[in-house]
């Protein structure tokens, strides 16, 4: 009966894509998922395993016997194998390596050695190569032999005896060409490539910009050492976008998903910025205390304070979000700051003027013409200042080698709050004293 149930379950799983199976297994505990994964053939097991979340891959691998884990490693894609290897502890790594062939061990150590966030950390060594003096018929024969072991053969790379990258050629071009045509006559020698130590974002940008299926990776001597496929580049871009979103809320990068990260880790990643921002907010309080006499004489001014500092913070956050994204995608660089500052000066002033007109009537109703003028003038200055701060902070952080994403959200809002309090009550004291 148990065997029948297993056969029925296995037959049911065959109807689903490996990605869907991996997503479903992610809901199970590692001890429950392992028997289900073991029902697949070794090749299919490696595919299912690759779609599990990284944290679960490590947990499941810790439960596997040495020979089964080594067998799984041997069937995984080179880049995925390296990622899993980095997630294991030293004891597990020592257990896996003896079960791999010498070439696989060397390749694994090499791929696992690249720093996180670099092109080397997401590239794969499973790529097909051709020699420039080959003819098309031999090239196709070689690709047929290599196809089962390569991640992709749709784009093939032409190298010399020293493995220097000479050009690239697509499978489509080979199929359509005459069998006796030389590969050198078909290849494109103007090859877009990246180096192993460049950032993942650079690879993702190149792939998007040139609409590539894969991007070759070379070393300092222009020798081909790997490729970055489209799917891996997009996964890296998604991870970077997630990290930027966390930083924009003044939260450090989380090593696991929100539902799995420990309470201590959540506390540790969030507390530093919150404490720093508390001290930043004290400047707002000090500003309010300094203008206590003005406030007590004209209580109506307090009604507009949240509106003004909120507007400045919102305008600043908008500008910061636009610049952080533009810097991340390469749309702008540090040299564009002056041009963008001039544009934001006009945009920020226009936004502030529009909001000032909208709030003027409320100012007259709540405090009279004098208060309305103070609120309107303050709105223009505060929104303009918030916009310019939001635009400039990402450039400043980028210049000192910090992540521009840190400039978003609470940091910009806190600066806008302090600026808003000082501008508003200084202007009120000046106008009301006349």
């Amino acid at each position: 009966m148990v065997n029948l149930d297993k056969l029925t379950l296995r037959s049911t799983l065959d109807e689903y894509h490996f990605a869907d199976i991996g997503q479903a297994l992610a809901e199970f505990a590692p001890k429950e998922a392992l028997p289900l994964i073991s029902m697949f053939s070794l090749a299919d097991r490696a595919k299912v395993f690759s779609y599990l979340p990284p944290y679960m891959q490590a947990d499941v691998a810790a439960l596997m016997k040495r020979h089964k884990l080594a067998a799984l490693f041997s069937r995984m894609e080179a880049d995925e194998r390296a990622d899993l290897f980095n997630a294991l502890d030293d004891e597990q790594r020592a257990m896996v390596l003896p079960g791999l062939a010498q070439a696989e061990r060397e390749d694994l150590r090499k791929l696992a050695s690249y720093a996180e966030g670099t092109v080397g950390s997401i590239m794969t060594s499973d790529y097909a190569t051709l020699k420039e003096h080959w003819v098309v018929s031999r090239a196709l024969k070689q690709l047929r032999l290599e196809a089962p072991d390569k991640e992709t053969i749709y784009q093939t790379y032409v190298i010399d005896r020293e493995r220097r990258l000479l050009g690239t050629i697509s499978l489509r071009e080979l199929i359509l060409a005459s069998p006796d045509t030389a590969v050198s006559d078909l290849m494109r020698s103007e090859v877009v490539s990246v180096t192993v130590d460049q950032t993942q974002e650079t690879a993702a940008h190149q792939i998007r910009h040139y609409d590539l299926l894969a991007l070759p990776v070379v070393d300092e001597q222009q020798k081909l050492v790997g490729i970055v496929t489209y799917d891996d580049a997009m996964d890296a871009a998604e991870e970077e976008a997630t990290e930027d979103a966390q930083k924009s809320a003044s939260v450090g990068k989380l090593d696991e998903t929100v539902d799995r990260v420990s309470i201590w880790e959540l506390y540790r990643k969030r507390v530093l910025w919150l404490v720093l921002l508390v001290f930043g907010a004290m400047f707002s309080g000090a500003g309010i205390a300094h203008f206590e006499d003005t406030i007590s004489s004209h209580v109506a001014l307090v009604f507009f304070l949240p509106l003004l500092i909120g507007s400045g913070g919102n305008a600043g956050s908008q500008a910061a979000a636009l610049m952080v994204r533009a810097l991340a995608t390469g749309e702008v660089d540090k040299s564009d700051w002056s041009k963008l500052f001039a544009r934001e000066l006009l945009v920020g002033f226009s936004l502030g003027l529009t909001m000032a007109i909208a709030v003027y009537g409320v100012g007259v109703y709540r405090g009279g013409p004098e208060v309305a003028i103070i609120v309107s003038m303050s709105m223009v200055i505060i929104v303009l200042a918030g916009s310019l701060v939001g635009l400039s902070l990402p450039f400043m952080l980028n210049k000192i080698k910090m992540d521009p994403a840190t400039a978003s959200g609470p940091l910009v809002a806190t600066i806008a709050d302090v600026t808003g309090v000082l501008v508003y009550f200084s202007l009120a004291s000046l106008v009301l004293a006349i």
Side-chain angles (χ1 to χ4, degrees), residues 154-310:
Y154 298 112
Q155 200 69 32
T156 311
Y157 304 95
V158 184
I159 58 175
D160 62 14
R161 292 180 180 179
E162 303 297 326
R163 297 195 62 79
R164 285 189 291 265
L165 182 61
L166 301 177
T168 181
I169 186 171
S170 69
L171 181 60
R172 180 176 182 272
E173 290 169 325
L174 287 172
I175 293 174
L176 295 177
S178 173
D180 57 352
T181 303
V183 168
S184 59
D185 293 334
L186 294 174
M187 73 177 189
R188 299 180 183 179
S189 55
E190 296 80 16
V191 184
V192 177
S193 63
V194 289
T195 57
V196 291
D197 55 353
Q198 288 185 276
T199 63
Q200 296 177 359
E201 296 81 10
T202 301
H205 176 264
Q206 296 285 64
I207 286 176
R208 282 196 303 264
H209 183 71
Y210 293 102
D211 196 21
L212 302 174
L213 291 175
L215 181 68
V217 184
V218 297
D219 62 13
E220 295 177 353
Q221 288 77 41
Q222 292 299 303
K223 293 180 180 180
L224 184 63
V225 294
I227 63 169
V228 176
T229 57
Y230 178 88
D231 57 330
D232 290 333
M234 294 307 102
D235 287 343
E238 182 180 356
E239 291 177 8
E240 182 65 22
T242 300
E243 183 180 342
D244 285 347
Q246 292 168 350
K247 288 181 178 179
S248 69
S250 296
V251 178
K253 179 185 176 183
L254 300 179
D255 296 326
E256 296 186 271
T257 56
V258 175
D259 61 329
R260 282 183 54 86
V261 69
S262 67
I263 294 176
W264 164 248
E265 184 73 4
L266 279 175
Y267 167 81
R268 189 174 66 85
K269 294 290 186 178
R270 297 170 63 180
V271 67
L272 177 61
W273 270 109
L274 287 178
V275 171
L276 291 175
L277 293 173
V278 163
F279 285 102
M282 287 183 180
F283 287 101
S284 297
I288 293 173
H290 180 74
F291 295 101
E292 187 175 347
D293 293 340
T294 302
I295 295 171
S296 60
S297 301
H298 301 82
V299 180
L301 293 172
V302 179
F303 175 83
F304 296 97
L305 180 59
L307 181 150
L308 290 169
I309 62 177

Side-chain angles (χ1 to χ4, degrees), residues 373-393:
I373 291 173
I374 294 169
V375 171
S376 298
M377 293 174 62
S378 298
M379 180 67 80
V380 174
I381 298 171
I382 291 170
V383 170
L384 177 59
S387 299
L388 296 178
V389 168
L391 175 135
S392 300
L393 265 178

